[in-house]
Amino acid sequence: MDHNTIDDKKFLAWLTLVLIGTSLLVFRSYLHFLLVGAVLALSTSHIFEAITSWLSRTRENSFIYKSRNGIAATLLSLFFLFMIVAPLVYFISMTIEQTSGIDPVQVKQTLTEIIDKSVAFLDRITILREPLARLRAEGLSFISGPALEVVFDGTKGLVAGVGALLGQIVWILLFYFLFNLYGKKILLFLADLIPMSYQHEKYLYRECTGTVAVVFYGTLFNMIAQGIAFGLLMAFIGGYDSMYLGILAGFCSVIPIIGAALVYVPILALELLAGHLLNAAIILLFAWIVMGFAIDNILRMIFIGFLKKKFGFEYRMNEILILLAILAGISAFGFWGLIIGPSVLALTLAAANLYSSRMSSIDSVS
């Protein structure tokens, strides 16, 4: 009887795994969205638990108590919907409006003037004259050739790509809502299915959620803080659409290494071209000191430290490894690899640590 029970359990476990694989095959067109939704749910699981715990203070027979998981999942999904979709819609509409009125001839003239003035400014340095002459010739060749039209076409394609991103976000938020709503049941089911001790499963879960939470919250804080800071700077400088540039700087801050430089460097060049040296100095110093140093290094770490103290998550991954995982994730999965890459690497390192610790304990016993 016992042998039959054991055989039944093994058979059901393998049958379940095969059926899960078959279901994933059926949903292969949505696997990308499923994975991102699951990782997002893991990264915000601490906030989800905090909201459900707060809602649990109501009477047990009340609607809020009985529906606390659904309410928490809905609130988090709506938060991301308005935080991501609303700025994207504004960005797309404003980009289409502004690019439709761009005169390519005027752009070519402006770029030519920027190159000429930059070369003239640095020409007094003897060692730079020859490379600057070559750079000027190549730059003017690029501007006068068809390459600039290709860049304009690419910009239009980028706007269309951002529009397609909105559709992806809707699917991701749908799966994110479902994973928040049924995440605990899914995790308990997988814990029973996987032949591993509860302590090891808890360790893997803690390591993965801690690393992903740090990456996600740090990126989110950077995006919002740098967007607001640069928007306020542009409002102070004047003559620019501060809201549009703030949103653009926020989205660009997500890009590793380069970040918001994609926005403030062209504006810096325009200010230098116009002869506004004070404005150019203010933009440069603000970008380096406030955005690059204060927000990205000091305020972000203070914010993450507050969240770690508040929600109790931990992470032990090196910052360089996280950066490499982000870059590799983006190259493999696109924009959403920003959080998929670190989560996969965190699970890999956690599993490797478990294996090495287990082998060490076996060696010590023997």
Side-chain angles (χ1 to χ4, degrees):
M1 185 71 175
D2 292 339
H3 291 293
N4 289 336
T5 303
I6 294 173
D7 291 339
D8 286 347
K9 186 176 181 180
K10 288 182 178 179
F11 173 76
L12 288 174
W14 281 108
L15 177 63
T16 303
L17 288 173
V18 170
L19 290 176
I20 289 175
T22 306
S23 300
L24 292 176
L25 182 64
V26 172
F27 282 89
R28 62 185 179 275
S29 300
Y30 302 94
L31 277 180
H32 201 146
F33 309 140
L34 274 167
L35 184 58
V36 175
V39 174
L40 271 179
L42 283 175
S43 62
T44 59
S45 59
H46 310 88
I47 297 179
F48 179 80
E49 291 174 3
I51 295 175
T52 53
S53 177
W54 179 70
L55 294 175
S56 298
R57 298 176 183 176
T58 57
R59 290 183 296 107
E60 292 188 7
N61 294 327
S62 64
F63 171 79
I64 294 177
Y65 182 85
K66 293 179 180 178
S67 308
R68 60 189 182 278
N69 288 340
I71 294 173
T74 303
L75 289 175
L76 285 175
S77 300
L78 288 175
F79 170 75
F80 284 115
L81 181 67
F82 289 114
M83 190 193 70
I84 298 175
V85 174
L88 269 179
V89 170
Y90 175 82
F91 171 75
I92 293 171
S93 61
M94 290 300 297
T95 301
I96 293 174
E97 179 182 336
Q98 295 189 21
T99 54
S100 61
I102 290 178
D103 182 9
V105 176
Q106 181 64 38
V107 172
K108 289 182 179 181
Q109 291 176 354
T110 303
L111 290 176
T112 302
E113 192 176 348
I114 289 175
I115 292 174
D116 287 338
K117 286 195 174 184
S118 300
V119 171
F121 179 76
L122 297 173
D123 191 57
R124 66 193 68 179
I125 305 175
T126 308
I127 196 173
L128 294 178
R129 285 178 182 173
E130 185 177 346
L132 282 174
R134 290 199 302 266
L135 183 63
R136 179 180 181 277
E138 292 175 2
L140 293 178
S141 175
F142 172 81
I143 294 170
S144 60
L148 200 60
E149 279 73 13
V150 175
V151 173
F152 280 114
D153 293 338
T155 304
K156 295 177 182 177
L158 178 63
V159 174
V162 174
L165 184 64
L166 288 173
Q168 297 180 15
I169 290 172
V170 172
W171 279 109
I172 289 169
L173 288 180
L174 174 62
F175 289 119
Y176 172 71
F177 171 81
L178 294 175
F179 277 118
N180 273 325
L181 191 59
Y182 302 108
K184 187 171 290 186
K185 293 180 180 179
I186 294 173
L187 288 174
L188 290 174
F189 170 76
L190 292 176
D192 291 335
L193 188 64
I194 298 173
M196 188 183 296
S197 67
Y198 173 74
Q199 289 78 9
H200 288 171
E201 291 171 348
K202 188 177 180 181
Y203 172 76
L204 289 175
Y205 175 80
R206 186 178 66 247
E207 288 294 309
C208 183
T209 53
T211 301
V212 175
V214 167
V215 174
F216 175 74
Y217 294 134
T219 303
L220 188 65
F221 175 81
N222 249 0
M223 187 171 66
I224 296 174
Q226 292 203 26
I228 292 175
F230 193 72
L232 292 174
L233 174 65
M234 289 297 97
F236 172 76
I237 296 294
Y240 298 94
D241 188 337
S242 58
M243 182 177 291
Y244 176 79
L245 291 175
I247 292 174
L248 184 58
F251 283 130
C252 288
S253 67
V254 174
I255 303 173
I257 301 175
I258 302 174
L262 286 172
V263 182
Y264 68 76
V265 168
I267 295 175
L268 183 64
L270 290 174
E271 291 295 324
L272 288 173
L273 178 63
H276 302 154
L277 298 182
L278 179 60
N279 287 349
I282 292 173
I283 293 172
L284 185 62
L285 292 175
F286 188 89
W288 283 356
I289 298 174
V290 177
M291 297 173 64
F293 179 72
I295 293 178
D296 196 23
N297 293 296
I298 299 177
L299 295 181
R300 182 174 66 90
M301 297 309 298
I302 292 174
F303 178 72
I304 291 174
F306 167 76
L307 291 181
K308 286 172 64 177
K309 185 178 180 181
K310 183 73 175 178
F311 299 112
F313 61 79
E314 299 177 0
Y315 82 104
R316 283 180 282 272
M317 265 183 70
N318 187 280
E319 292 287 342
I320 298 177
L321 277 179
I322 292 177
L323 176 61
L324 292 175
I326 290 173
L327 293 173
I330 290 175
S331 65
F333 298 98
F335 174 79
W336 302 109
L338 187 74
I339 56 175
I340 295 177
S343 64
V344 172
L345 185 60
L347 271 178
T348 304
L349 293 178
N353 287 335
L354 280 179
Y355 177 78
S356 61
S357 63
R358 183 180 179 186
M359 294 304 294
S360 298
S361 62
I362 291 175
D363 292 339
S364 63
V365 171
S366 60

